[in-house]
Structure formats: C-alpha cells, structure tokens
C-alpha cells in the first residue's frame, strides 16, 4: 500500500526554526514534494527532492533520505505568514502525487 | 507569473445534477490533473491527462466522472450525476515537460445539497 505520515500539528514562535518530518512507504519512488497550503487555498509548490541530501531555497530547506523513506522540511526565521498546512507528497511509479494528511503549523508572536 | 485558473470558485448544485468544473492550465504545460480535497482531509488524486487522453485514473474516478480538453486552453471535469459525497474542493493542476512539479489552481468548492 501507499502510506505517507506527517505530524498533524506543530506550533512555533516567530523568528524560530521548525522542522516538519515526513515518512513514506510507496510503490516506487520518483521524487518527494513539499507544498504549502493556506486554509481554503490551493497547494503552492515549495520544493522537490529526488536525490538524497539537502535542497536549500531561501528560508526553506528540504532533506531526503531514500534508504530511510524520510524527508523533512526546515523553515528558518519563521514569520506569521508561515502559519499554514505543509503537505508532503510522493511521486511513485506513476505521474500522480500521493499526499500525506498535512502538518498544520501555527506560528505565534 | 503564469498560473492555473479555475472557474467557478464556488458551485452549489442539487444531488443528481450534472456539473462541469473548468480549468485553464499554464499555457505551455502538457500534463493535466484533477485532485479533490474533502474538508479536513488530504488531497486525493482523481485523474491525469496527457496528449488528449487519460493517463491514469483513481478508484474515485468512476463512470460518473469524465474529463475533456475541448480546445487548446481549457480542461474540464464533468460529474454527471452528483452525490452528497462529491462535496469537496476540486483542484486542477498542470506541469510542463521539463520538470515534475505540479502547479495547482485556486480550486472550485463544490457543494452538493
């Protein structure tokens, strides 16, 4: 079967760093994606990892370990506008994205 | 920056009625998708479309659903006879040939009463 696990909720303080973990078990693997979704809005693409290691893009970084079926999204210098859900999604054997349930991040002042 | 657009933003329909949800993907993209998200649940794949035919469909995408690319810009999802459980946010997405990231439209909130 296909399974993607993320914590349901996390909280953090403005200016801090937060790490959102994702573990996956899928039929095949051809990349892992992180999306940001504000309430009632569309998912917005943040990052893509297909090889092991860290990809950095501004305040956001994403890490992948294929042997462990594990990824994390690291958000630095948190801002209030970062309060959103963060969705982990895997591209398996086919072109579709398989999504986790998402992690709802609340940033407090 | 180019973006995926969807209309309408909100559609209310009665059970048993047909609805058509419309999408305009990013203009040079080749791969098109529909996903749905029931309130409070995860985003679920419905169908993918490439080269004017369905590439893959999920178990959700039964005979009540169909997709069409009637011209060079629009991509539509039709639900022939809506059920209460079809109430969800429907997202269209597209991607180009050079990368695997999918870009999502703002969604159509479908409410079936």
């Amino acid at each position: 079967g296909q399974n993607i696990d993320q914590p349901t909720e996390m909280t953090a303080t403005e200016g801090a760093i937060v790490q959102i973990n994702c573990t996956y078990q899928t039929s095949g693997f051809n990349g892992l994606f992180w999306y940001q979704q504000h309430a009632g809005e569309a998912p917005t693409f943040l990052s893509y990892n297909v090889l092991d290691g860290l990809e950095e893009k501004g305040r956001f970084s994403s890490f992948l370990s294929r042997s462990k079926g594990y990824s994390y999204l690291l958000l630095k210098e948190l801002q209030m506008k970062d309060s959103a859900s963060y969705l982990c999604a895997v591209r398996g054997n086919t072109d579709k994205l398989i999504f986790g349930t998402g992690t709802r991040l609340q940033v407090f002042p | 920056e180019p973006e995926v657009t969807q209309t309408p933003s909100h559609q209310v329909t009665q059970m048993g009625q047909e609805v058509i949800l419309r999408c305009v993907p990013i203009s040079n993209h080749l791969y098109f998708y529909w996903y749905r998200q029931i309130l409070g649940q995860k985003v679920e794949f419905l169908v993918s479309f490439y080269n004017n035919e369905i590439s893959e469909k999920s178990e959700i995408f039964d005979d009540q659903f169909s997709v069409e690319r009637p011209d060079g810009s629009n991509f539509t999802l039709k639900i022939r006879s809506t059920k209460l459980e079809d109430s969800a946010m429907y997202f269209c997405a597209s991607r180009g040939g050079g990368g695997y990231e999918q870009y999502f439209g703002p969604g159509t909130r479908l409410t079936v009463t």
Side-chain angles (χ1 to χ4, degrees):
Chain A
Q2 322 257 47
N3 199 43
I4 298 175
D5 286 318
Q6 312 176 228
T8 306
E9 288 196 18
M10 299 183 71
T11 60
T13 307
E14 202 174 10
I17 299 172
V18 71
Q19 178 175 312
I20 303 174
N21 295 323
C22 171
T23 57
Y24 63 90
Q25 292 171 306
T26 56
S27 302
F29 179 83
N30 282 290
L32 187 142
F33 300 79
W34 285 95
Y35 283 83
Q36 181 190 61
Q37 186 179 31
H38 285 99
E41 297 183 12
T44 304
F45 170 73
L46 290 177
S47 70
Y48 168 60
N49 295 68
V50 66
L51 300 176
D52 291 352
L54 189 68
E55 294 280 341
E56 295 186 80
K57 196 187 286 187
R59 293 189 297 115
F60 293 4
S61 305
S62 56
F63 171 83
L64 175 67
S65 168
R66 289 171 297 170
S67 62
K68 294 181 179 175
Y70 168 70
S71 173
Y72 67 72
L73 180 70
L74 193 72
L75 292 76
K76 302 176 190 173
E77 300 167 17
L78 280 172
Q79 301 174 10
M80 297 296 291
K81 67 178 183 179
D82 297 329
S83 292
S85 288
Y86 291 85
L87 314 182
C88 175
V90 170
R91 186 170 182 266
N93 278 334
T94 66
D95 195 29
K96 68 175 184 268
L97 295 181
I98 306 154
F99 282 86
T101 51
T103 298
R104 187 167 163 244
L105 174 67
Q106 287 187 282
V107 180
F108 292 101
Chain B
E1 189 173 325
E3 56 185 24
V4 177
T5 59
Q6 291 184 243
T7 53
S9 57
H10 192 188
Q11 172 100 41
V12 181
T13 191
Q14 289 191 323
M15 198 166 49
Q17 295 297 303
E18 175 183 287
V19 294
I20 298 177
L21 310 183
R22 301 181 193 280
C23 169
V24 179
I26 294 173
S27 65
N28 61 346
H29 281 187
L30 303 174
Y31 300 84
F32 314 114
Y33 312 84
W34 284 101
Y35 292 83
R36 79 172 187 190
Q37 187 175 31
I38 294 170
L39 189 63
Q41 297 188 22
K42 62 184 175 182
V43 176
E44 300 175 287
F45 168 78
L46 291 177
V47 66
S48 57
F49 192 87
Y50 169 71
N51 202 26
N52 282 319
E53 59 182 32
I54 290 174
S55 310
E56 184 181 2
K57 56 185 180 180
S58 71
E59 292 175 354
I60 302 166
F61 194 90
D62 61 22
D63 292 343
Q64 295 300 314
F65 290 85
S66 62
V67 289
E68 196 176 39
R69 187 153 163 85
D71 53 41
S73 59
N74 291 284
F75 180 51
T76 62
L77 175 70
K78 183 194 291 187
I79 310 175
R80 263 179 275 282
S81 177
T82 50
K83 304 189 270 279
L84 293 176
E85 54 264 38
D86 294 329
S87 294
M89 185 75 105
Y90 287 79
F91 293 109
C92 173
S94 69
R95 74 170 176 91
Y100 294 111
E101 59 269 23
Q102 296 178 21
Y103 294 91
F104 284 73
T108 293
R109 181 170 298 284
L110 177 65
T111 303
V112 183
T113 62

